[in-house]
Amino acid sequence: MHTFKELVDSFETFFTRKHFPPAPATLYEPGEYFLSRGGKRIRPVMCLMGNELFDAIQPDSWAVATAIELFHNFTLIHDDIMDAAPLRRGMETVHVKYGESTALLAGDVMMIRAYEQLSSVQTQYLPRILQLFNKTAREVCEGQQLDMDFEKAPSVPLNDYIHMITLKTSVLLAASLQTGAVLGGASEGNCQHMYEFGKNLGIAFQVQDDYLDAFGDPEKFGKEVGGDIRQNKKTFLLLHALETASPEQRKQLQELMQENLPDKVQQVLQLFRACNVDAWATKLKDQYLQTALHHLDAIAVVSARKKPLRDLAEFLIHREY
Amino acid sequence: MHTFKELVDSFETFFTRKHFPPAPATLYEPGEYFLSRGGKRIRPVMCLMGNELFDAIQPDSWAVATAIELFHNFTLIHDDIMDAAPLRRGMETVHVKYGESTALLAGDVMMIRAYEQLSSVQTQYLPRILQLFNKTAREVCEGQQLDMDFEKAPSVPLNDYIHMITLKTSVLLAASLQTGAVLGGASEGNCQHMYEFGKNLGIAFQVQDDYLDAFGDPEKFGKEVGGDIRQNKKTFLLLHALETASPEQRKQLQELMQENLPDKVQQVLQLFRACNVDAWATKLKDQYLQTALHHLDAIAVVSARKKPLRDLAEFLIHREY
């Protein structure tokens, strides 16, 4: 068994190479540029961990983990175009550096490259892996579309927001774990628990993300807190505040969102606290974490094997950065 | 055995349905809109014909043909964004009607839908079909990138242009036939000849396309001739003219391209004729057609079964519209 950290290092070493042919460089160089800038590699490592819960890591898991990381990077390249984002991981986005048309095509070809990785999976697993990957990939696109729709919507019910977050973020974490479990020879029931563990963990992770952006310790958080508030981004916190505020508080919040006063972040945070948004978010996150851990507990494998996944869950949810 | 026309009708009936779930409609409605506007359906029907050359059409061929048509439509949606094209098939392009971000995502999800079709192929054929599809999909992207690169290049050698056209257009025709052949149980050698038939036919088809745009009979052609000339589009004809013109003719041609005189098309055509571009193109097209037919002849199947493919080749190459 390996820890999350050990597997991140192993995957990083494995993944650090050229992923495309040399020519045409105008198409493939942008993809190599984006991949070489690193990333947290959470998803591919979850595939390896999902496998190792049941068996020694199979060669197929490295191929599927690579496919998952390529797919994730494809979504980032295209999302950056849609969001007109100038920077990612502190460096120029692909469309800024190489132009939108090339970024569009570099994304397309990175998705195809992901499927090239999948095509080498042993025949006995291939249809199932491919079907799970396809379904997940389509759901991620649905999540991105809903996210864009919601940004334009005057109000979004919290349940719809959770559905969007599930599609945009959680299903890929869930599928990463489940593909690993499939390749580890897990039973259908265990595969399903693995998926639900990842899905609920993903939602808890997103709640924590939103929480840190507002209430994080600036010294530990690494970047300025309040970015979401300044951009009026629809987050768990804002949607809950809008749902539970008194008419007077709601009016204040909406005025703060329309103006851009220098102390906007502070004032919004004050309102959030008055609405108990911070305590609510902590509770919501813990609920999803508990549901996730319940599914992990239900997997029919000796408890000791589950330690790396339990540690990962704690790390992702209780991080302060 | 069926004729090309019969299979187009059958495929059209089979393909005329909803291809996506109803929700989120903001993502899937644009895809349905684009697919419902029809198309020549040449590629999926080539898959069916490639199968029927060797055996009765298998259920898998309908799934693969559908995947190929979905993939082709994905490339059109994204190409239209890159080309900033307002119209296709006389109707608004997806990005004009629904916005660029949605068009980008609608294209992405159409490609994923193509892979969902592939995932149902019988396990014994799945790896081979998937690998051929992936390789082809990636090459089509390479072709599109080279096409964009060439539009900006001051000059393009004819061989580089043929390489680009092969990737952008021919390999998908070739792979369509070959996937059908694989599903029809063809031998490796026969599959290879099928591929080469499609590849060479595709190049001949593009030469004819360029030829008709310049020298077509306006009454039969259906649209105004000279569109490529007015846009200074790099075509077989222009590249050959630039390569073979006298210094004086080349200077004239370059001047005509820089200005936009009312009689530009007529004057360029006069220069094309003076350089024998029309006769050269006809000869080039016939060379590729002969190579294609040579590969069709070499397939170890009774000659009578080849009639539909031979008819298709004649139809595609000798069409006047």
Side-chain angles (χ1 to χ4, degrees), chain A residues 142-178:
Chain A
E142 292 179 5
Q144 169 68 7
Q145 180 67 45
L146 289 176
D147 196 11
M148 295 193 298
D149 294 345
F150 289 176
E151 282 306 317
K152 285 181 234 149
S155 72
V156 176
L158 188 67
N159 278 341
D160 292 1
Y161 181 76
I162 292 175
H163 176 62
M164 180 276 283
I165 285 298
T166 305
L167 295 172
K168 188 170 166 161
T169 304
S170 298
V171 295
L172 187 55
L173 301 179
S176 299
L177 287 163
Q178 197 181 354

Short mmCIF file of all heavy atoms in Angstrom, two decimals, chain A residues 142-178:
data_model
loop_
_atom_site.label_atom_id
_atom_site.label_comp_id
_atom_site.label_asym_id
_atom_site.label_seq_id
_atom_site.Cartn_x
_atom_site.Cartn_y
_atom_site.Cartn_z
N GLU A 142 -21.90 18.84 -19.08
CA GLU A 142 -23.19 19.33 -18.58
C GLU A 142 -22.97 20.29 -17.41
O GLU A 142 -23.59 21.35 -17.33
CB GLU A 142 -24.07 18.16 -18.12
CG GLU A 142 -24.54 17.26 -19.24
CD GLU A 142 -25.41 16.09 -18.74
OE1 GLU A 142 -25.72 16.04 -17.53
OE2 GLU A 142 -25.76 15.23 -19.57
N GLY A 143 -22.07 19.92 -16.50
CA GLY A 143 -21.77 20.77 -15.34
C GLY A 143 -21.24 22.13 -15.76
O GLY A 143 -21.64 23.17 -15.21
N GLN A 144 -20.35 22.13 -16.74
CA GLN A 144 -19.79 23.41 -17.21
C GLN A 144 -20.88 24.29 -17.84
O GLN A 144 -20.93 25.50 -17.61
CB GLN A 144 -18.65 23.14 -18.22
CG GLN A 144 -18.15 24.36 -18.99
CD GLN A 144 -17.41 25.36 -18.11
OE1 GLN A 144 -17.15 25.12 -16.93
NE2 GLN A 144 -17.11 26.52 -18.66
N GLN A 145 -21.78 23.66 -18.61
CA GLN A 145 -22.87 24.44 -19.22
C GLN A 145 -23.79 25.01 -18.13
O GLN A 145 -24.16 26.18 -18.18
CB GLN A 145 -23.67 23.56 -20.19
CG GLN A 145 -24.83 24.29 -20.88
CD GLN A 145 -24.34 25.36 -21.84
OE1 GLN A 145 -23.42 25.14 -22.63
NE2 GLN A 145 -24.93 26.55 -21.77
N LEU A 146 -24.14 24.19 -17.14
CA LEU A 146 -25.00 24.67 -16.05
C LEU A 146 -24.31 25.80 -15.29
O LEU A 146 -24.95 26.78 -14.91
CB LEU A 146 -25.35 23.52 -15.10
CG LEU A 146 -26.32 22.46 -15.65
CD1 LEU A 146 -26.51 21.33 -14.63
CD2 LEU A 146 -27.67 23.08 -16.00
N ASP A 147 -23.01 25.67 -15.08
CA ASP A 147 -22.26 26.72 -14.40
C ASP A 147 -22.40 28.05 -15.16
O ASP A 147 -22.66 29.10 -14.57
CB ASP A 147 -20.79 26.30 -14.28
CG ASP A 147 -20.02 27.14 -13.26
OD1 ASP A 147 -20.66 27.89 -12.51
OD2 ASP A 147 -18.78 27.03 -13.22
N MET A 148 -22.24 27.97 -16.49
CA MET A 148 -22.38 29.19 -17.30
C MET A 148 -23.83 29.72 -17.24
O MET A 148 -24.05 30.92 -17.14
CB MET A 148 -21.98 28.92 -18.76
CG MET A 148 -20.50 28.56 -18.92
SD MET A 148 -19.91 28.58 -20.65
CE MET A 148 -20.93 27.32 -21.42
N ASP A 149 -24.79 28.79 -17.29
CA ASP A 149 -26.20 29.21 -17.20
C ASP A 149 -26.47 29.91 -15.87
O ASP A 149 -27.14 30.94 -15.82
CB ASP A 149 -27.14 28.00 -17.31
CG ASP A 149 -27.09 27.33 -18.68
OD1 ASP A 149 -26.55 27.96 -19.63
OD2 ASP A 149 -27.57 26.19 -18.81
N PHE A 150 -25.93 29.33 -14.79
CA PHE A 150 -26.20 29.86 -13.46
C PHE A 150 -25.57 31.25 -13.27
O PHE A 150 -26.11 32.09 -12.55
CB PHE A 150 -25.67 28.91 -12.37
CG PHE A 150 -26.45 27.63 -12.25
CD1 PHE A 150 -26.05 26.62 -11.37
CD2 PHE A 150 -27.61 27.41 -12.99
CE1 PHE A 150 -26.77 25.43 -11.25
CE2 PHE A 150 -28.34 26.23 -12.87
CZ PHE A 150 -27.91 25.23 -12.00
N GLU A 151 -24.40 31.46 -13.89
CA GLU A 151 -23.76 32.77 -13.72
C GLU A 151 -24.67 33.88 -14.25
O GLU A 151 -24.64 35.00 -13.77
CB GLU A 151 -22.39 32.80 -14.41
CG GLU A 151 -21.28 32.09 -13.61
CD GLU A 151 -21.13 32.59 -12.17
OE1 GLU A 151 -21.16 33.82 -11.95
OE2 GLU A 151 -20.98 31.76 -11.25
N LYS A 152 -25.48 33.53 -15.26
CA LYS A 152 -26.38 34.54 -15.84
C LYS A 152 -27.73 34.60 -15.12
O LYS A 152 -28.49 35.54 -15.31
CB LYS A 152 -26.62 34.22 -17.32
CG LYS A 152 -25.43 34.54 -18.23
CD LYS A 152 -25.78 34.21 -19.68
CE LYS A 152 -24.76 33.29 -20.31
NZ LYS A 152 -25.30 32.39 -21.33
N ALA A 153 -28.05 33.57 -14.34
CA ALA A 153 -29.37 33.50 -13.71
C ALA A 153 -29.45 34.46 -12.52
O ALA A 153 -28.47 34.61 -11.79
CB ALA A 153 -29.65 32.08 -13.24
N PRO A 154 -30.62 35.12 -12.32
CA PRO A 154 -30.73 36.04 -11.18
C PRO A 154 -30.64 35.30 -9.84
O PRO A 154 -30.07 35.82 -8.89
CB PRO A 154 -32.11 36.68 -11.37
CG PRO A 154 -32.85 35.81 -12.33
CD PRO A 154 -31.84 35.06 -13.13
N SER A 155 -31.20 34.09 -9.76
CA SER A 155 -31.07 33.33 -8.51
C SER A 155 -30.98 31.85 -8.85
O SER A 155 -31.48 31.41 -9.88
CB SER A 155 -32.26 33.59 -7.60
OG SER A 155 -33.40 32.94 -8.13
N VAL A 156 -30.31 31.10 -7.98
CA VAL A 156 -30.11 29.67 -8.20
C VAL A 156 -30.44 28.93 -6.90
O VAL A 156 -29.81 29.18 -5.87
CB VAL A 156 -28.65 29.37 -8.60
CG1 VAL A 156 -28.42 27.87 -8.74
CG2 VAL A 156 -28.29 30.07 -9.91
N PRO A 157 -31.43 28.02 -6.93
CA PRO A 157 -31.71 27.22 -5.72
C PRO A 157 -30.48 26.40 -5.34
O PRO A 157 -29.77 25.89 -6.22
CB PRO A 157 -32.87 26.32 -6.13
CG PRO A 157 -33.45 26.96 -7.37
CD PRO A 157 -32.32 27.68 -8.04
N LEU A 158 -30.26 26.25 -4.03
CA LEU A 158 -29.07 25.54 -3.56
C LEU A 158 -28.98 24.12 -4.12
O LEU A 158 -27.89 23.66 -4.50
CB LEU A 158 -29.07 25.50 -2.02
CG LEU A 158 -27.80 24.94 -1.39
CD1 LEU A 158 -26.61 25.87 -1.64
CD2 LEU A 158 -27.98 24.70 0.08
N ASN A 159 -30.12 23.44 -4.22
CA ASN A 159 -30.10 22.07 -4.75
C ASN A 159 -29.62 22.01 -6.20
O ASN A 159 -28.95 21.07 -6.60
CB ASN A 159 -31.47 21.41 -4.64
CG ASN A 159 -31.69 20.85 -3.25
OD1 ASN A 159 -30.72 20.64 -2.51
ND2 ASN A 159 -32.94 20.60 -2.90
N ASP A 160 -30.02 23.03 -6.99
CA ASP A 160 -29.54 23.07 -8.38
C ASP A 160 -28.04 23.31 -8.42
O ASP A 160 -27.32 22.76 -9.27
CB ASP A 160 -30.25 24.19 -9.14
CG ASP A 160 -31.73 23.90 -9.35
OD1 ASP A 160 -32.19 22.84 -8.88
OD2 ASP A 160 -32.42 24.74 -9.96
N TYR A 161 -27.56 24.15 -7.48
CA TYR A 161 -26.12 24.43 -7.41
C TYR A 161 -25.36 23.14 -7.06
O TYR A 161 -24.32 22.84 -7.66
CB TYR A 161 -25.86 25.53 -6.38
CG TYR A 161 -24.40 25.90 -6.25
CD1 TYR A 161 -23.76 26.68 -7.21
CD2 TYR A 161 -23.66 25.45 -5.16
CE1 TYR A 161 -22.42 27.01 -7.09
CE2 TYR A 161 -22.31 25.78 -5.03
CZ TYR A 161 -21.70 26.56 -5.99
OH TYR A 161 -20.37 26.88 -5.88
N ILE A 162 -25.89 22.38 -6.09
CA ILE A 162 -25.22 21.13 -5.71
C ILE A 162 -25.21 20.15 -6.88
O ILE A 162 -24.21 19.48 -7.14
CB ILE A 162 -25.92 20.51 -4.47
CG1 ILE A 162 -25.67 21.42 -3.25
CG2 ILE A 162 -25.41 19.09 -4.19
CD1 ILE A 162 -26.40 20.99 -1.98
N HIS A 163 -26.31 20.13 -7.63
CA HIS A 163 -26.35 19.26 -8.82
C HIS A 163 -25.26 19.69 -9.82
O HIS A 163 -24.55 18.84 -10.38
CB HIS A 163 -27.75 19.37 -9.46
CG HIS A 163 -27.89 18.60 -10.74
ND1 HIS A 163 -27.77 17.23 -10.80
CD2 HIS A 163 -28.14 19.02 -12.01
CE1 HIS A 163 -27.93 16.84 -12.06
NE2 HIS A 163 -28.16 17.89 -12.81
N MET A 164 -25.11 20.98 -10.03
CA MET A 164 -24.11 21.48 -10.98
C MET A 164 -22.70 21.11 -10.50
O MET A 164 -21.87 20.62 -11.28
CB MET A 164 -24.27 23.01 -11.11
CG MET A 164 -23.29 23.68 -12.05
SD MET A 164 -21.68 24.07 -11.31
CE MET A 164 -22.11 25.53 -10.34
N ILE A 165 -22.42 21.35 -9.21
CA ILE A 165 -21.10 21.03 -8.64
C ILE A 165 -20.81 19.53 -8.75
O ILE A 165 -19.68 19.12 -9.05
CB ILE A 165 -21.04 21.48 -7.16
CG1 ILE A 165 -20.91 23.00 -7.08
CG2 ILE A 165 -19.89 20.80 -6.42
CD1 ILE A 165 -19.65 23.56 -7.70
N THR A 166 -21.84 18.73 -8.52
CA THR A 166 -21.68 17.28 -8.63
C THR A 166 -21.19 16.92 -10.03
O THR A 166 -20.25 16.15 -10.20
CB THR A 166 -23.01 16.57 -8.34
OG1 THR A 166 -23.47 16.99 -7.05
CG2 THR A 166 -22.86 15.05 -8.36
N LEU A 167 -21.84 17.50 -11.05
CA LEU A 167 -21.47 17.20 -12.43
C LEU A 167 -20.10 17.79 -12.78
O LEU A 167 -19.26 17.12 -13.37
CB LEU A 167 -22.52 17.73 -13.40
CG LEU A 167 -23.91 17.09 -13.30
CD1 LEU A 167 -24.90 17.83 -14.18
CD2 LEU A 167 -23.85 15.62 -13.72
N LYS A 168 -19.90 19.03 -12.40
CA LYS A 168 -18.68 19.72 -12.85
C LYS A 168 -17.43 19.21 -12.15
O LYS A 168 -16.35 19.18 -12.75
CB LYS A 168 -18.83 21.24 -12.62
CG LYS A 168 -17.69 22.03 -13.23
CD LYS A 168 -17.89 23.52 -13.24
CE LYS A 168 -16.56 24.18 -13.54
NZ LYS A 168 -16.67 25.54 -14.02
N THR A 169 -17.56 18.81 -10.89
CA THR A 169 -16.38 18.46 -10.11
C THR A 169 -16.39 17.02 -9.60
O THR A 169 -15.41 16.29 -9.75
CB THR A 169 -16.26 19.39 -8.89
OG1 THR A 169 -16.25 20.74 -9.35
CG2 THR A 169 -15.00 19.11 -8.11
N SER A 170 -17.52 16.61 -8.99
CA SER A 170 -17.49 15.38 -8.22
C SER A 170 -17.47 14.11 -9.06
O SER A 170 -16.82 13.14 -8.69
CB SER A 170 -18.70 15.33 -7.29
OG SER A 170 -18.65 16.41 -6.40
N VAL A 171 -18.20 14.09 -10.16
CA VAL A 171 -18.31 12.82 -10.89
C VAL A 171 -16.96 12.35 -11.43
O VAL A 171 -16.72 11.15 -11.56
CB VAL A 171 -19.36 12.87 -12.04
CG1 VAL A 171 -20.76 13.08 -11.47
CG2 VAL A 171 -19.02 13.91 -13.08
N LEU A 172 -16.06 13.30 -11.73
CA LEU A 172 -14.75 12.87 -12.23
C LEU A 172 -13.91 12.27 -11.11
O LEU A 172 -13.18 11.29 -11.33
CB LEU A 172 -14.03 14.04 -12.92
CG LEU A 172 -12.72 13.68 -13.64
CD1 LEU A 172 -12.91 12.56 -14.66
CD2 LEU A 172 -12.13 14.90 -14.34
N LEU A 173 -14.01 12.82 -9.91
CA LEU A 173 -13.33 12.21 -8.76
C LEU A 173 -13.91 10.81 -8.51
O LEU A 173 -13.17 9.84 -8.30
CB LEU A 173 -13.51 13.07 -7.50
CG LEU A 173 -12.99 14.52 -7.57
CD1 LEU A 173 -13.29 15.24 -6.26
CD2 LEU A 173 -11.49 14.56 -7.84
N ALA A 174 -15.24 10.73 -8.55
CA ALA A 174 -15.91 9.45 -8.31
C ALA A 174 -15.51 8.42 -9.36
O ALA A 174 -15.18 7.27 -9.03
CB ALA A 174 -17.43 9.66 -8.33
N ALA A 175 -15.51 8.83 -10.62
CA ALA A 175 -15.17 7.88 -11.70
C ALA A 175 -13.71 7.49 -11.65
O ALA A 175 -13.35 6.36 -12.00
CB ALA A 175 -15.53 8.50 -13.05
N SER A 176 -12.84 8.42 -11.22
CA SER A 176 -11.42 8.08 -11.11
C SER A 176 -11.24 6.92 -10.14
O SER A 176 -10.55 5.94 -10.43
CB SER A 176 -10.63 9.29 -10.63
OG SER A 176 -10.74 10.36 -11.55
N LEU A 177 -11.87 7.04 -8.98
CA LEU A 177 -11.80 5.96 -8.00
C LEU A 177 -12.44 4.68 -8.54
O LEU A 177 -11.90 3.58 -8.38
CB LEU A 177 -12.53 6.38 -6.71
CG LEU A 177 -11.82 7.42 -5.84
CD1 LEU A 177 -12.79 8.04 -4.86
CD2 LEU A 177 -10.64 6.78 -5.10
N GLN A 178 -13.57 4.84 -9.21
CA GLN A 178 -14.28 3.64 -9.66
C GLN A 178 -13.55 2.90 -10.77
O GLN A 178 -13.51 1.67 -10.77
CB GLN A 178 -15.71 3.97 -10.10
CG GLN A 178 -16.55 2.68 -10.14
CD GLN A 178 -17.98 2.89 -10.58
OE1 GLN A 178 -18.44 4.01 -10.77
NE2 GLN A 178 -18.70 1.81 -10.77
#
